[in-house]
Amino acid sequence: MVDTNSPDRHAEAEAVLGTTGVAHRDVDAAEATAANLAWWDADADAYHDTHGDFLGEADFVWCPEGLREEDARLLGDVSDADVLEVGCGSAPCARWLVSRGARVVGFDLSGGMLRHALDGNRRTGLRPALVQADAQHLPFADAAFDVACSAFGAIPFVPDVEVVFRELFRVLRPGGRWVFSTTHPLRWIFPDDPGPNGLTVTQPYFDRTPYVEVNAEGRATYVEYHRTLGDYVRALHASGFHLTDLVEPEWPDGHIRVWGQWSPLRGKLFPGTAVFCCVKRP
């Protein structure tokens, strides 16, 4: 089994940020943005040391289950399309889209992650445009893109997901696609543990209190938000999107990688990822 879940995998970031514990409390947008910017800057090197081989340099992997856009075709034909990647990280998805003939802009909150994206662009010769930006305040013109996509970028880390959806609705052209993957809401009820202890329900599904890591002064050093499936559907509808599909990737036979709380043990029993496929209503 390929285990990327060692207890010290985030030790460097936690040491830099002074993380001392976990809390469940409300966190506003300003605190969450500051915390997650600092977290992903601090964790960028370790993240890519751990997951870079799995993600590739020019590949579009939707989730830890290994679902690839090459096979799933959730975005449709992207050749000659203007595509926005939300929370692009080191931008392997953006580079894959460029290789398929798309004009791509990838943005991320973290300069540390974008540093890895620039390195990947230089190594591959595939050069999507890269922008440092906050998904809650997109620096792009109205109706600038045909497609927007995100593989676990931004969505879990903002307090009001409808704010992000409205921004994406604004920058998409009529009929444009918005497809994003995120942790399946069902996972919230289980401990963040890939082993047998992660099979016992401990958290109410309807408790939307954020998961927060804090320093000794109680300030957030990492924040992640939970929403139910219904929350996502209602937020998409309120923002003007039509949900066309909800994909729950099954754990593939022979896939032995452990990534955080994703593992073969849990993946065989319940979903770990939800992929929402939407279009902008004219």
Side-chain angles (χ1 to χ4, degrees):
M1 181 177 292
V2 182
D3 188 355
T4 62
N5 200 51
S6 60
D8 61 349
R9 70 192 187 280
H10 299 309
E12 183 177 346
E14 291 172 349
V16 168
L17 300 174
T19 302
T20 58
V22 173
H24 286 85
R25 63 169 174 83
D26 291 334
V27 182
D28 64 20
E31 185 180 13
T33 299
N36 286 323
L37 171 59
W39 170 265
W40 288 109
D41 281 350
D43 197 50
D45 292 347
Y47 179 89
H48 288 96
D49 286 346
T50 303
H51 302 301
D53 289 345
F54 179 73
L55 295 173
E57 290 205 315
D59 197 2
F60 198 130
V61 183
W62 280 108
C63 53
E65 290 87 350
L67 180 70
R68 282 173 161 75
E69 177 60 15
E70 180 72 36
D71 304 313
R73 307 293 293 172
L74 301 179
L75 301 178
D77 182 5
V78 297
S79 61
D80 202 34
D82 294 304
V83 181
L84 178 66
E85 186 184 1
V86 177
C88 66
S90 59
C93 300
R95 286 189 288 274
W96 182 88
L97 289 162
V98 169
S99 76
R100 296 312 190 265
R103 295 177 295 275
V104 185
V105 177
F107 78 86
D108 201 279
L109 181 66
S110 166
M113 298 296 277
L114 290 172
R115 173 170 48 83
H116 285 273
L118 286 168
D119 289 344
N121 284 6
R122 284 190 287 267
R123 285 191 298 269
T124 63
L126 299 167
R127 299 179 182 274
L130 299 171
V131 176
Q132 186 170 15
D134 183 344
Q136 300 166 106
H137 309 285
L138 296 181
F140 307 114
D142 296 357
F145 299 97
D146 302 299
V147 177
C149 59
S150 181
F152 279 81
I155 301 303
F157 309 110
V158 296
D160 188 346
V161 74
E162 193 175 323
V163 169
V164 176
F165 292 166
R166 287 198 300 266
E167 278 289 86
L168 290 164
F169 187 89
R170 178 182 64 79
V171 303
L172 280 170
R173 293 166 184 145
R177 297 193 188 202
W178 163 226
V179 183
F180 68 96
S181 61
T182 190
T183 305
H184 198 291
L186 182 63
R187 285 291 176 103
W188 183 257
I189 70 176
F190 297 99
D192 194 14
D193 186 328
N197 290 335
L199 302 180
T200 302
V201 172
T202 58
Q203 181 79 8
Y205 179 73
F206 297 104
D207 181 359
R208 296 160 174 86
T209 309
Y211 169 86
V212 189
E213 296 178 3
V214 297
N215 63 16
E217 289 75 43
R219 290 193 299 273
T221 59
Y222 176 89
V223 184
E224 191 166 339
Y225 293 85
H226 165 63
R227 289 142 190 131
T228 68
L229 283 172
D231 291 339
Y232 280 115
V233 171
R234 284 185 291 274
L236 288 165
H237 179 77
S239 304
F241 286 104
H242 174 62
L243 182 66
T244 60
D245 198 3
L246 173 58
V247 180
E248 298 167 295
E250 296 185 35
W251 195 269
D253 291 336
H255 183 40
I256 59 173
R257 183 184 183 86
V258 174
W259 179 331
Q261 47 107 341
W262 282 265
S263 68
L265 175 66
R266 286 156 63 96
K268 289 294 185 182
L269 296 174
F270 46 84
T273 297
V275 188
F276 294 82
C277 305
C278 318
V279 296
K280 175 176 177 175
R281 294 196 296 263

